[in-house]
Amino acid sequence: MKGIIKDAVILFIITLIAGVCLGAVHEITLEPIAQAQLAANTATYQEVYPDAASFDTNEELTQAIGTSAEEIAAQGYGSVTVDSVQEALDASGNVIGYLITSSSTEGYGGSIQIAVGITNEGTLTGIGFLSISETAGLGMNAQNPEFKDQYAGKAAQEFEVTKTGATADNQINAISGATITSRAVTGAVNAAVYFYEICIAQ
């Protein structure tokens, strides 16, 4: 009996020490990981809206995310959300457009989060990926210019995916073998565009 108690005490001490060590490592690495994620996101923002010198939040637009969520969800774009919105500023601090972050949970590998740049005139500057975990060689090709650059330079409108070749300005050619990913990305783009139209452009 004493041996069992002794072993239990030793096991408890080992578990306690391991837990403390893991907690310490987590606290130490938490900030560097957050900083690395912020840097990666900022790089994506600059890629999406290269004419912007900086990005800034707007409290009124941030509040509009919540009030518009139900309406956006009812548009038939799939399981999508608008996550954040920032003003794109030039070097003088003038608002030249907007950077809208949106997500779709309907990717083949789960959630896809993108950033969409839209000018004051309603033209898309491009899209960039903040989070994507699709199949390598298929859905991950959404990050390639051949797919994502199809949105750049087009007027804000409702986009649709086609597998037979785009014949209209609002059509997006699907990635070969990854139609699900193509539709999820396009759904997220449409959510961002719709938010722009009802909360910014009007």
Side-chain angles (χ1 to χ4, degrees):
M1 187 66 177
K2 290 182 178 179
I4 294 175
I5 295 175
K6 179 181 179 182
D7 291 343
V9 170
I10 293 173
L11 182 60
F12 172 76
I13 293 172
I14 292 172
T15 303
L16 180 63
I17 293 172
V20 171
C21 290
L22 286 173
V25 170
H26 175 72
E27 288 300 320
I28 291 171
T29 59
L30 194 61
E31 183 63 23
I33 290 173
Q35 290 297 324
Q37 185 63 57
L38 178 61
N41 288 355
T42 301
T44 300
Y45 298 158
Q46 286 296 160
E47 177 188 348
V48 170
Y49 214 129
D51 289 342
S54 61
F55 302 94
D56 195 17
T57 56
N58 176 298
E59 185 62 31
E60 184 177 345
L61 292 178
T62 298
Q63 291 178 357
I65 293 174
T67 58
S68 64
E70 187 174 340
E71 184 175 349
I72 291 172
Q75 297 309 306
Y77 303 142
S79 180
V80 296
T81 57
V82 170
D83 306 321
S84 67
V85 57
Q86 299 177 75
E87 294 175 331
L89 310 177
D90 64 15
S92 300
N94 301 309
V95 178
I96 58 174
Y98 301 86
L99 189 90
I100 302 171
T101 300
S102 57
S103 300
S104 170
T105 61
E106 296 187 347
Y108 188 81
S111 181
I112 298 173
Q113 186 179 51
I114 63 171
V116 181
I118 306 178
T119 68
N120 287 335
E121 294 72 36
T123 301
L124 271 67
T125 62
I127 71 168
F129 290 85
L130 300 172
S131 176
I132 182 170
S133 301
E134 300 297 274
T135 305
L138 293 173
M140 290 302 286
N141 288 337
Q143 299 176 102
N144 295 342
E146 291 78 12
F147 177 75
K148 69 175 186 176
D149 286 358
Q150 293 182 84
Y151 302 93
K154 293 184 176 180
Q157 57 192 303
E158 184 174 326
F159 296 97
E160 62 180 36
V161 173
T162 177
K163 296 191 288 184
T164 58
T167 57
D169 193 50
N170 72 321
Q171 292 185 326
I172 300 297
N173 289 316
I175 304 164
S176 179
T179 304
I180 292 175
T181 304
S182 304
R183 287 176 176 159
V185 174
T186 300
V189 172
N190 283 336
V193 168
Y194 192 80
F195 178 85
Y196 168 82
E197 291 178 340
I198 65 171
C199 297
I200 299 174
Q202 291 186 348

